[in-house]
Every structure is written in C-alpha cells, then in structure tokens.
Amino acid sequence: MAKVPSSVVAASGLVGGYGVARWTRKRPLGGVVLAAAGVAAAQQWRQQAGGKAAGALSVAYVAAFAGSHPLAKKVGAWPAVFGAAGAMALASWAVADRRG
C-alpha cells in the first residue's frame, strides 16, 4: 500500500479539522481531527527529515492553524483554511516529502 505524503496528511488535518468542527458544530471534535493528523504528520516528518525538522514543522502546523483565524476575518473562513493548508503542504513537501 502506498504511503500518503506528509504534506497531504498535514493539509488534510487543517481542512478536515475545520470541516468537522463546522459541520458537526462540535469544535472539540474538529480539534481531535486536527490533532490526529498533526501527530501522524509529525511521525512522518521525524522519519523522513529528523527530529529538528519535525519540531519545526510541528510549530508551523500549529502556527498555520492559529494564523488561519485572523486571516478568516479578512478573506473568509474557507479561503483562510485552504491558504493555511496550502502553505503547510508546501512547507512539509519542501522539508520532508521531496527527499523521498
């Protein structure tokens, strides 16, 4: 079975977490999706690029999540989430996925 790239896992966590929170109206459930994808991506980052890179990408993942909130006030919720997910996917690919 082919492994899903960490860039896809991270981006999916941001989009999926927001989607679940919005559609179920249960923010903690969206947080579970966000956290599960973050943990899965961090494990891949550690395997592919090492501990320091995994730490930096984990900080970027949390920053993308946090940064999407003020951005949503300017451009709307979904564009902000997709922008944050795209930025995270690009960072993940550049640091970890392109090596494989």
Side-chain angles (χ1 to χ4, degrees):
M1 186 165 149
K3 185 169 87 170
V4 176
S6 63
S7 55
V8 173
V9 174
S12 297
L14 291 164
V15 173
Y18 175 69
V20 167
R22 182 175 175 131
W23 290 315
T24 65
R25 299 187 189 274
K26 295 182 184 339
R27 292 179 73 176
L29 189 56
V32 168
V33 172
L34 178 79
V39 168
Q43 289 175 337
Q44 286 184 280
W45 295 329
R46 190 176 308 111
Q47 291 171 351
Q48 294 170 337
K52 287 184 182 180
L57 286 169
S58 295
V59 168
Y61 185 75
V62 173
F65 166 70
S68 69
H69 289 79
L71 183 60
K73 292 180 181 179
K74 296 182 185 284
V75 300
W78 279 112
V81 170
F82 285 130
M88 191 63 236
L90 181 61
S92 181
W93 176 83
V95 174
D97 291 342
R98 74 177 174 164
R99 296 174 185 230

